[in-house]
C-alpha cells in the first residue's frame, strides 16, 4: 500500500487530529489492503503466499469489527456504512 493512499484512508476515518490507531482507522486500512490484494489475486491466481496473507487480513478485520461492535455499536454501524461492507 502506498504511503499517500494510507494517509488518505487515515484522514477519512480518524476521530481527531492525531488519530492513527483507533479501531475505525485500523479497519479502514485493513479493508484497503484487502481490496488491493484481491485485485492482485485476480491477475495472479496461483500466488498462494498472497492468498494466505489475504486470509490473515480478513481474519484481523473480522476480529476488529467484532471488537468495535462489542464496544460501541454506533461507531460500528458508521464504519460498516462508510466502507460498504455488510449489506
Amino acid at each position: 500500500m502506498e504511503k499517500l493512499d494510507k494517509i488518505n484512508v487515515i484522514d477519512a476515518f480518524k476521530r481527531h487530529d492525531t488519530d492513527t490507531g483507533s479501531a475505525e482507522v485500523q479497519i479502514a486500512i485493513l479493508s484497503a489492503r484487502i481490496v488491493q490484494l484481491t485485485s492482485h489475486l485476480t491477475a495472479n491466481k496461483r500466488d498462494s503466499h498472497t492468498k494466505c496473507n489475504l486470509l490473515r487480513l480478513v481474519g484481523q478485520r473480522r476480529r476488529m469489527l467484532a471488537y468495535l461492535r462489542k464496544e460501541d455499536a454506533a461507531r460500528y454501524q458508521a464504519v460498516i456504512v462508510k466502507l460498504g461492507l455488510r449489506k
Side-chain angles (χ1 to χ4, degrees), residues 9 17 28 31 34 43 47-48 52-55 57-59 68 71 77 81-82 85:
V9 169
D17 290 339
S31 295
I34 287 168
D47 191 352
S48 60
C52 285
N53 284 329
L54 176 64
L55 292 175
L57 291 176
V58 169
L68 190 60
E71 291 298 314
Q77 285 297 326
V81 169
K82 201 167 184 181
L85 293 177

Side-chain angles (χ1 to χ4, degrees), residues 27 61-69 76 80 86:
I27 291 168
R61 183 178 69 180
R62 184 181 53 80
R63 287 190 301 273
M64 288 294 299
L65 284 168
Y67 165 79
L68 190 60
R69 182 177 56 228
Y76 169 78
I80 292 297
R86 313 211 199 292

Side-chain angles (χ1 to χ4, degrees), residues 37 40-54:
L37 289 180
H40 171 79
L41 274 176
T42 57
N44 304 291
K45 295 189 185 306
R46 294 184 177 199
D47 191 352
S48 60
H49 188 267
T50 300
K51 188 174 184 178
C52 285
N53 284 329
L54 176 64

